[in-house]
Amino acid sequence: MLKIFNSFKKKKEVFRSYFSNKVNIYVCGVTVSDYCHIGHVRTFYFFDILLRYLKYLGYKCNYIRNITDIDNKIIKNSIKSNISLRKISKLMINFMNKDFKKLNFLKPNHEPKVSNNINLIIKYISKLLKNKYAYISYNGDILFSLKKIKNYGCNLLKKKIIYNSKYNFVLWKLNKKSDILGWNSPWGIGRPGWHIECSVISNKYLFSKIDIHGGGSDLLFPHHENEIVQSKCLFKNKYFVNYWVHTGMVINCGKKLSKSKNNYFLIKDLLKIYHPDVIKYFLMSVHYRKKLNFNIEKLEKSKLLLNNMYFSLQGLNKNIILSKNDILSFNEFDDFFYKYMNDDFNIPKIYVLFFNMINEINRLKCKLNYILAGKLGIKIRFFFNLIGLLNFNNINDYFHKNYLYKNSINNKIIKKINKLIILRNIARKKNNWKLSDYIRNKLYKLNVFIKDKKNFISDWYFN
């Protein structure tokens, strides 16, 4: 039984969809002012896992992820680069789609842009004005008034904020003379504020019956809090969000990733160096709700760990059909996998399970039981696929991107490695697994990874 941590109630709850076999999901998407960075990808990778698992459980998912293509940062970048706002937004959206395709993220059912929903946004701002939830400020901007909201802050922040007009937020920003972008409205040429877009777009596609509303934890307040209060004013009792789900931020040296602090890492640059699976593996190495400290050393460690697992799967027959007896013999692994997935997607614990399964595969290979090793390999591949990893047919493709083959390495190093390989195979023949493991770990420290074959022969790759 799947349990998800609900940010609204600050606890794990058994997942039940509003409709019995259908799940409505809305995730706040990218503001396309720049290329996607590692923080964006962590959020969308988690929701990719969630989507894959819900589909596996038999739900039909309606996944909406908006694109914010109207923003002050986009306008500044447009002026700075001397490229039209429409062109720069289109360019960044194309780069985002390329990144997400390389990462093998499932596509949303709809990915609406704010710029395509201006008339609807104007309609709902007019409704808020009519019902006295909004007002025209001294400079012509339309602001949402929190004066009528009794428990502002109590929804997600869980802290009542005493009313102060400084918390009133912009619904419509009137153009100034220097502004380069605007749409006609009853209040003059301008553009929508940030918070209103999600209330309008989620209602358009999901009719305000949202099972899971998600985003990064930095959106919890004020964005999602503001979304709740304005949606309740717009749609009254028709507005419904079952679970609010937030991912932990990616930080660097204790600080949030930010272009202004020059501590952020673009995903397009990382993809030039690392296989997508390595990046994804790293992003879930800490539970999705916790902060993840990014540094290259940790990413390299994730690469080594994933290499170890993929090496063990290399060469196994992946076309074996599992019998009922095979399935029963793997029940323990099944039980733990689904236990951890159902416990609010505890991927770090699943990683430990993967290592246990890989160790069992290596043990079977050492005993030359390649048939059972292959069957267990099929099972772990299935688990990998459920969390969006190993979605390629040939593991050699992975190593082609991550490795230099041994013929490009210094001869002295090759001789040293070959000597250790021979010693390890002698230890394996004598069933001296302690010494065998010791040598294997020593080789790992040299960034050498072993592929064991039949008759105590081993091949190896060097990173």
Side-chain angles (χ1 to χ4, degrees):
M1 190 174 290
L2 176 61
K3 289 185 177 181
I4 300 178
F5 186 88
N6 188 349
S7 299
F8 189 86
K9 295 184 179 178
K10 303 297 181 191
K11 65 179 182 179
K12 294 177 191 177
E13 294 185 310
V14 174
F15 177 73
R16 294 185 178 88
S17 61
Y18 185 81
F19 303 99
S20 59
N21 64 340
K22 179 181 174 183
V23 180
N24 284 338
I25 304 168
Y26 185 88
V27 176
C28 293
V30 175
T31 298
V32 289
S33 58
D34 205 339
Y35 303 103
C36 288
H37 58 66
I38 194 77
H40 294 133
V41 172
R42 189 183 195 216
T43 292
F44 301 125
Y45 176 38
F46 167 71
F47 284 102
D48 185 72
I49 292 172
L50 180 143
L51 186 64
R52 288 173 187 273
Y53 193 58
L54 288 174
K55 286 186 173 185
Y56 167 73
L57 293 178
Y59 290 103
K60 183 179 179 182
C61 297
N62 191 11
Y63 177 31
I64 313 300
R65 189 176 68 212
N66 72 310
I67 295 176
T68 301
D69 60 341
I70 303 168
D71 179 81
N72 288 339
K73 290 179 182 178
I74 304 174
I75 293 169
K76 285 179 182 178
N77 286 350
S78 174
I79 295 168
K80 185 179 178 181
S81 60
N82 198 27
I83 301 173
S84 73
L85 190 131
R86 183 169 290 183
K87 282 186 178 179
I88 203 167
S89 294
K90 186 177 180 180
L91 183 68
M92 290 302 114
I93 290 170
N94 286 339
F95 274 112
M96 177 193 75
N97 288 333
K98 285 180 182 177
D99 289 343
F100 289 2
K101 185 177 181 180
K102 288 178 182 176
L103 291 159
N104 196 37
F105 288 166
L106 298 176
K107 290 184 177 181
N109 297 75
H110 300 281
E111 203 167 18
K113 294 186 287 188
V114 177
S115 60
N116 292 338
N117 289 276
I118 298 297
N119 290 337
L120 195 58
I121 288 171
I122 290 171
K123 175 185 174 181
Y124 284 120
I125 292 174
S126 299
K127 185 177 179 180
L128 290 170
L129 277 167
K130 182 181 178 181
N131 293 329
K132 309 297 182 185
Y133 289 112
Y135 64 96
I136 302 174
S137 69
Y138 70 93
N139 63 358
D141 291 348
I142 310 297
L143 300 183
F144 185 92
S145 174
L146 290 164
K147 196 170 185 178
K148 288 186 176 181
I149 308 302
K150 294 180 180 179
N151 296 308
Y152 180 63
C154 292
N155 292 297
L156 294 171
L157 194 61
K158 299 304 177 188
K159 178 183 177 183
K160 185 173 181 179
I161 297 174
I162 298 171
Y163 174 72
N164 188 316
S165 60
K166 71 178 182 180
Y167 293 115
N168 293 343
F169 53 90
V170 175
L171 297 170
W172 187 262
K173 189 173 182 62
L174 200 67
N175 268 19
K176 298 179 177 62
K177 289 183 180 179
S178 60
D179 287 337
I180 62 170
L181 178 74
W183 287 265
N184 289 320
S185 78
W187 322 288
I189 296 173
R191 60 184 186 272
W194 177 33
H195 307 302
I196 188 67
E197 67 183 71
C198 287
S199 290
V200 171
I201 291 172
S202 64
N203 180 70
K204 176 182 177 180
Y205 288 92
L206 301 176
F207 307 104
S208 290
K209 294 292 183 288
I210 306 169
D211 289 297
I212 297 171
H213 194 316
S217 59
D218 55 326
L219 301 183
L220 193 145
F221 186 88
H223 181 56
H224 285 159
E225 185 76 25
N226 289 347
E227 188 182 337
I228 289 172
V229 297
Q230 70 190 359
S231 294
K232 285 183 175 179
C233 294
L234 282 168
F235 312 119
K236 306 299 180 184
N237 294 331
K238 293 180 180 179
Y239 179 69
F240 174 89
V241 176
N242 207 354
Y243 305 87
W244 286 90
V245 179
H246 293 91
T247 57
M249 290 187 294
V250 179
I251 58 174
N252 182 245
C253 298
K255 296 179 181 178
K256 179 186 174 184
L257 300 185
S258 168
K259 190 174 181 181
S260 61
K261 295 181 178 118
N262 198 30
N263 70 341
Y264 72 123
F265 299 84
L266 298 178
I267 196 66
K268 73 179 185 71
D269 294 333
L270 291 171
L271 283 168
K272 292 175 184 176
I273 306 168
Y274 297 98
H275 191 279
D277 277 16
V278 172
I279 296 169
K280 291 159 75 174
Y281 182 92
F282 164 72
L283 289 172
M284 287 298 128
S285 59
V286 172
H287 191 275
Y288 80 87
R289 285 191 284 113
K290 295 183 179 179
K291 291 179 181 179
L292 175 68
N293 190 30
F294 178 87
N295 60 55
I296 295 298
E297 289 77 14
K298 289 186 176 182
L299 190 55
E300 282 290 330
K301 183 180 178 182
S302 290
K303 177 180 174 180
L304 297 180
L305 293 171
L306 196 63
N307 289 344
N308 181 20
M309 289 194 280
Y310 283 9
F311 261 119
S312 295
L313 294 172
Q314 195 175 34
L316 293 177
N317 189 340
K318 59 180 183 294
N319 298 315
I320 302 172
I321 298 173
L322 298 183
S323 67
K324 288 183 179 180
N325 288 335
D326 295 326
I327 293 168
L328 288 172
S329 67
F330 299 147
N331 269 353
E332 184 181 356
F333 295 125
D334 281 347
D335 290 346
F336 279 112
F337 179 81
Y338 296 115
K339 175 185 176 181
Y340 298 146
M341 284 294 280
N342 289 334
D343 185 19
D344 193 32
F345 301 95
N346 198 331
I347 305 300
K349 283 192 175 181
I350 286 175
Y351 286 174
V352 175
L353 174 66
F354 285 168
F355 280 110
N356 291 337
M357 294 178 76
I358 289 296
N359 287 338
E360 179 63 13
I361 285 172
N362 290 334
R363 188 185 69 80
L364 290 168
K365 286 164 71 176
C366 286
K367 290 187 173 183
L368 304 183
N369 192 342
Y370 283 89
I371 294 175
L372 193 55
K375 290 178 177 181
L376 187 53
I378 290 170
K379 174 62 68 175
I380 195 171
R381 273 178 172 271
F382 176 73
F383 290 161
F384 268 115
N385 290 168
L386 270 183
I387 62 170
L389 298 174
L390 246 178
N391 293 112
F392 42 89
N393 289 325
N394 191 347
I395 290 182
N396 285 329
D397 295 339
Y398 169 86
F399 290 115
H400 177 72
K401 184 154 188 169
N402 279 287
Y403 285 89
L404 297 171
Y405 196 65
K406 59 191 176 192
N407 58 17
S408 63
I409 305 163
N410 183 286
N411 285 331
K412 288 183 179 179
I413 298 174
I414 291 176
K415 287 180 181 178
K416 181 180 178 180
I417 292 167
N418 281 333
K419 187 176 180 180
L420 287 169
I421 293 287
I422 291 168
L423 289 172
R424 179 175 175 272
N425 284 333
I426 291 171
R428 290 171 63 213
K429 283 181 181 179
K430 294 180 177 180
N431 292 328
N432 189 344
W433 306 117
K434 187 175 181 180
L435 178 58
S436 172
D437 290 343
Y438 171 78
I439 296 171
R440 187 184 186 104
N441 291 334
K442 192 170 183 177
L443 287 164
Y444 282 167
K445 289 177 182 178
L446 294 171
N447 284 346
V448 173
F449 300 90
I450 306 161
K451 178 187 175 185
D452 289 325
K453 298 182 177 181
K454 291 182 179 180
N455 301 322
F456 300 103
I457 298 171
S458 298
D459 205 348
W460 57 269
Y461 292 82
F462 186 85
N463 186 359

